[in-house]
Amino acid sequence: MKIRNYEKKDWKRLNEIHDAARIIELNNAGIPDAFLSLEETYENEGLFEYKLLVAEDEIGLVVGFTAFYDEEIAWLYVDPQYHRKGIATKLLNVAMEQAGKVISIEVLENNIEAINLYKKIGFKVVEKASGSLVGNESFIVTGYVLEYKK
């Protein structure tokens, strides 16, 4: 598994990965109608304002990505066909090495797999909040803010 910086040639795979994983995430949250594709939301959510890393398998296929600032991991998606293979953990570890001393992430309340992953790495829940779903503000959601301190 290779973690590297995003390149323009990765755009199609990012769309495929996001869309497949996001549908599952929103179904688990009970709001499947909130789905918007990456193509529909990347500008509004500022995807390219973040540092963007991709995970590439041994044959060069992009299988996951993360986008982050020094203080926040904003995006983390892995192709559902590659779940439970350590890809999200590898992406997180590299992002956390490059991020600042305190890093936060927001997770939907029912995204138990993601919450467990972040806790396993050392994130702690610091807040439970409700508000508009980022990117599709007509939906109200409840989620957690988790924080990691180096």
Side-chain angles (χ1 to χ4, degrees):
M1 185 65 48
K2 177 181 174 184
I3 307 298
R4 62 170 175 78
N5 290 325
Y6 167 83
E7 299 171 8
K8 287 184 181 182
K9 67 178 180 159
D10 302 324
W11 179 241
K12 181 176 187 255
R13 276 299 290 155
L14 260 62
N15 279 275
E16 293 168 354
I17 292 163
H18 170 275
D19 293 357
R22 183 70 168 165
I23 287 169
I24 294 168
E25 178 184 17
L26 294 174
N27 280 337
N28 290 343
I31 50 170
D33 292 341
F35 175 79
L36 294 173
S37 69
L38 183 60
E39 188 67 46
E40 293 172 296
T41 62
Y42 80 94
E43 281 184 303
N44 184 41
E45 293 189 47
L47 176 63
F48 292 110
E49 294 170 20
Y50 297 94
K51 177 157 181 142
L52 190 54
L53 300 174
V54 300
E56 191 176 76
D57 72 5
E58 60 281 346
I59 62 167
L61 178 68
V62 173
V63 295
F65 71 95
T66 187
F68 61 96
Y69 285 137
D70 277 350
E71 68 280 348
E72 177 192 19
I73 295 174
W75 303 69
L76 177 64
Y77 287 100
V78 173
D79 184 326
Q81 294 180 35
Y82 293 83
H83 280 184
R84 299 203 172 280
K85 297 186 185 292
I87 296 164
T89 300
K90 288 178 183 162
L91 280 164
L92 275 171
N93 286 335
V94 174
M96 289 167 60
E97 286 173 11
Q98 296 180 23
K101 292 188 181 284
V102 179
I103 309 159
S104 68
I105 190 160
E106 296 177 2
V107 184
L108 292 173
E109 180 178 38
N110 293 333
N111 194 347
I112 303 304
E113 286 185 25
I115 292 166
N116 289 339
L117 169 67
Y118 299 129
K119 284 181 174 180
K120 182 177 94 178
I121 290 173
F123 281 80
K124 299 195 182 321
V125 174
V126 295
E127 181 181 355
K128 182 176 181 178
S130 294
S132 297
L133 180 64
V134 175
N136 196 346
E137 286 74 13
S138 62
F139 288 85
I140 303 300
V141 294
T142 299
Y144 297 101
V145 176
L146 292 93
E147 190 174 83
Y148 179 87
K149 294 181 182 178
K150 290 183 180 175

